[in-house]
Amino acid sequence: MVIIVYNEKGGVGKTMIATQFALHFDATIIEMDPYGVLTQTLNDDIVYKVPLNEKAPVIKDGDAIFDFGGFDDARLDDVASFADLIIIPFNPTINALGTTLKSYIRASKLNLPILFVVNATLNDNDANDAIDYLKENIQDEFEVFVIPHTRALQTAENEGVSVIELSQQGGLKKHTYKKVGQIFTELMNKISEYK
């Protein structure tokens, strides 16, 4: 399965989702973000960095996730020709919603299924307001998944381990990561539906 993670807004959780997917499914992350630092935080065997002046690699077999930077990258069209899904993560804030809508309009022209991920929600009202905004501005049906705000994701990223794996360990880690592990198991199951 090949997935694109895309939003022209930076800081919305694109790399976090790409990392969790890659660690859970033992997939390769294709880092398209010229400012990305995954090669410094994860093993080189799962991250392939593509400089801005190079074409994206074509993936025909295996699982890969393309982590795009926070801008409109023309290479998005090339990757969409063989991808299975576009994930558009966003924070439920006013300044993120306008760019997210713009990113959706760009991505919707690529004829791929799109999954919105509302990331780092502090409460249900924020997520619901953001989803209502999208419904008011998007005529098509769309799917959405909500991830609450948690510091556990940063810890998992720092350790280079999936939160699902951490939630299956014993002791305090199991307790600490249980809820977020369940949420990410549901997200990975949702993503698998697009295969």
Side-chain angles (χ1 to χ4, degrees):
M1 181 173 200
V2 176
I3 297 173
I4 294 168
V5 183
Y6 171 75
N7 192 329
E8 293 178 26
K9 175 87 173 79
V12 294
K14 295 184 294 288
T15 299
M16 178 272 295
I17 290 171
T19 300
Q20 289 302 308
F21 176 87
L23 291 171
H24 181 71
F25 287 108
D26 194 25
T28 301
I29 300 174
I30 312 296
E31 189 173 47
M32 305 296 287
D33 184 353
Y35 305 107
V37 293
L38 281 175
T39 53
Q40 296 172 16
T41 58
L42 293 174
N43 295 332
D44 288 343
D45 57 337
I46 69 164
V47 180
Y48 178 74
K49 185 154 182 88
V50 180
L52 192 55
N53 61 346
E54 289 185 15
K55 290 186 174 190
V58 176
I59 308 295
K60 296 196 182 218
D61 295 313
D63 295 324
I65 186 156
F66 284 78
D67 180 19
F68 278 86
F71 59 94
D72 185 2
D73 190 329
R75 299 174 296 177
L76 181 67
D77 299 285
D78 297 331
V79 176
S81 69
F82 56 85
D84 300 294
L85 171 68
I86 299 174
I87 297 175
I88 301 178
F90 67 97
N91 301 117
T93 60
I94 295 298
N95 65 347
L97 286 171
T99 307
T100 298
L101 185 58
K102 179 182 173 189
S103 300
Y104 168 78
I105 291 167
R106 167 81 164 94
S108 67
K109 297 174 183 170
L110 301 172
N111 297 317
L112 286 171
I114 294 172
L115 173 64
F116 284 101
V117 175
V118 189
N119 188 34
T121 60
L122 295 174
N123 59 60
D124 291 342
N125 288 339
D126 289 346
N128 292 335
D129 288 347
I131 293 166
D132 287 344
Y133 173 84
L134 292 177
K135 286 179 180 175
E136 290 169 10
N137 290 282
I138 295 174
Q139 304 305 315
D140 302 320
E141 295 278 325
F142 61 86
E143 287 201 83
V144 64
F145 192 91
V146 177
I147 300 174
H149 174 75
T150 174
R151 283 184 231 146
L153 290 171
Q154 185 63 51
T155 303
E157 191 170 316
N158 291 345
E159 292 184 18
V161 180
S162 81
V163 291
I164 296 169
E165 183 180 329
L166 288 173
S167 72
Q168 295 168 348
Q169 294 180 3
L172 186 58
K173 281 195 176 181
K174 182 174 184 173
H175 173 75
T176 303
Y177 292 97
K178 181 178 181 180
K179 185 176 180 182
V180 71
Q182 289 171 342
I183 291 165
F184 270 81
T185 297
E186 291 171 17
L187 176 59
M188 297 308 154
N189 289 341
K190 171 59 74 180
I191 290 170
S192 294
E193 292 175 11
Y194 290 93
K195 283 186 176 182

